[in-house]
Amino acid sequence: MIIQSERVWLSGGFYPANITVEEGRISHIAIGLTHHAAHDFGSRRIIPGLIDSHAHGGWNYDTNENDPEGLRRWAVNLPAEGVTAFCPTTVTDEDATLLAALENISRVMDEGNAGAEILGIHFEGPFLCQKYRGAQPEKQIRPANIAQFQGFEKAANNRIIAITLAPEEDADLALTRYCTQRGIVVNMGHSDATFEQALEAVANGAKNVTHVYNGMAKYVNREPGLLGAAFRLDGLYGEVIADGIFVGLVSASHLYRLKNDDYVIMISDSMKAKGCPPGRYMFGGEPMILGEDGATRREDGVLVGSTLQLNRGLYNMVERAMVPFGAALKSCTINPARLLGLDGHKGTLQRGYDADIVVLEDNYDVHTTFCGGEVAYSIAG
């Protein structure tokens, strides 16, 4: 099968090209157009599939729920926003709830699903700090513990690909070092860590800062903290919720300017209310309200999570925050793939890579999405 357009994103620019797909992978890319294309998308933009490495749910499904059909429903709907791969992300909860949720995700991964590929589980909490817990349930937050985490690993059948923890709650950085040795990406978040504590965590394997600006102290000139570490430390990734609500557009653009283009990760941080009408929903056992602005809040007004579609996040960063298109695109394609160790077959349009391909309109609406070379979404139905 050949897919082509006058504008295919290759090596940092758009060029006329055709892409040959065989057995779910890109087998050949040729510059120029051909008369033999099965799918000719004219002048529409062709980009790599988007990767959402931090998302808690959607379409009335929460990752903490033991609901295989809910997880499958979420995965089937994601290609409509250009997402071809994602990491279901847990939140702090009772052990029994988390264990069942982890078993649920692992079972669906074993059985397979339509739509976006499940890359692995992002385990956010419960090893967090109380002060910056945000919407994480207070009663279940606890210091890091390797033995407890091993129980979660077992339930997940070793499908945990990333963890978010507060480094100051990880005594001697024991869990950070354990996860690093296991190949699990360590993110720092919901944390009151000092700059020095964050630096030490990075020196011991931490690689990423969870939703920069949110769940951490504000930047102070003499107390830069975790936010200062996100800004300053070379090689440290930083996530940004790209909805323009959790992070102001100017602040989002600052992160892209301060970090190398290779180290910003665009995320949705979406909740179960995504894809649903405004109203009252539950998150981590607590009620939340989805407003007309697309953000979910606790009843006391604290922001909980977004309902962002990642293609709209791309729009927000490029057209509103004035981030260069290439930098914004890398933050939701090759950068998360590299962070998760998947950049050998995901995140870019290149021979030998998975045929995760998105056709984008100029207004950032998704026209067609291919997951593994199969049409997973098309505006034509």
Side-chain angles (χ1 to χ4, degrees), residues 76-135:
V76 164
N77 278 284
L78 285 173
E81 62 186 78
V83 171
T84 57
F86 70 114
C87 297
T89 305
T90 60
V91 295
T92 299
D93 213 323
E94 297 179 353
D95 283 3
T97 298
L98 287 172
L99 291 170
L102 294 169
E103 290 173 357
N104 176 62
I105 299 167
S106 176
R107 186 165 55 250
V108 171
M109 291 179 71
D110 286 338
E111 295 171 355
N113 63 278
E117 179 182 352
I118 301 172
L119 300 173
I121 300 164
H122 181 165
F123 192 69
E124 185 178 12
F127 310 125
L128 308 174
C129 127
Q130 288 283 0
K131 184 176 180 180
Y132 292 106
R133 71 181 182 91

Side-chain angles (χ1 to χ4, degrees), residues 234-257:
D234 292 344
L236 179 63
Y237 290 84
E239 295 178 350
V240 60
I241 304 172
D243 63 354
I245 299 171
F246 275 80
V247 177
L249 297 174
V250 172
S251 295
S253 68
H254 283 167
L255 184 64
Y256 280 90
R257 284 176 176 268

Side-chain angles (χ1 to χ4, degrees), residues 135 214 241-247 268-281 283 287-299 301-309 316:
N214 301 109
I241 304 172
D243 63 354
I245 299 171
F246 275 80
V247 177
S268 71
D269 199 19
S270 68
M271 302 299 171
K272 70 181 295 182
K274 178 177 178 173
C276 301
R280 190 173 186 271
Y281 299 86
F283 171 67
M288 62 178 180
I289 309 299
L290 171 61
E292 296 290 345
D293 62 356
T296 53
R297 294 173 173 83
R298 280 199 322 226
E299 292 182 323
V302 172
L303 282 166
V304 175
S306 83
T307 58
L308 177 69
Q309 296 182 338
N316 288 337

Side-chain angles (χ1 to χ4, degrees), residues 15-45:
Y15 302 93
N18 63 85
I19 303 169
T20 302
V21 174
E22 295 179 327
E23 298 181 349
R25 295 210 165 194
I26 297 172
S27 61
H28 183 67
I29 298 177
I31 302 304
L33 305 180
T34 175
H35 296 296
H36 306 293
H39 300 276
D40 187 336
F41 292 104
S43 63
R44 293 183 177 92
R45 295 179 287 183

Side-chain angles (χ1 to χ4, degrees), residues 122-201:
H122 181 165
F123 192 69
E124 185 178 12
F127 310 125
L128 308 174
C129 127
Q130 288 283 0
K131 184 176 180 180
Y132 292 106
R133 71 181 182 91
Q136 303 274 339
E138 180 179 7
K139 293 181 180 179
Q140 301 302 328
I141 290 174
R142 67 198 81 160
N145 183 293
I146 291 177
Q148 288 184 11
F149 182 71
Q150 288 173 330
F152 294 129
E153 273 191 295
K154 183 178 180 180
N157 197 21
N158 295 317
R159 292 288 177 69
I160 295 174
I161 196 171
I163 182 173
T164 289
L165 55 77
E168 76 277 15
E169 298 296 332
D170 183 13
D172 196 32
L173 295 172
L175 184 55
T176 296
R177 290 185 285 108
Y178 172 83
C179 288
T180 299
Q181 291 166 357
R182 298 273 292 163
I184 298 169
V185 174
V186 177
N187 307 311
M188 301 178 287
H190 292 283
S191 166
D192 195 25
T194 64
F195 178 89
E196 289 75 18
Q197 287 172 322
L199 175 60
E200 186 173 356

Side-chain angles (χ1 to χ4, degrees), residues 253-270:
S253 68
H254 283 167
L255 184 64
Y256 280 90
R257 284 176 176 268
L258 287 166
K259 303 294 290 182
N260 181 295
D261 282 358
D262 293 332
Y263 291 97
V264 181
I265 308 286
M266 183 191 299
I267 63 168
S268 71
D269 199 19
S270 68

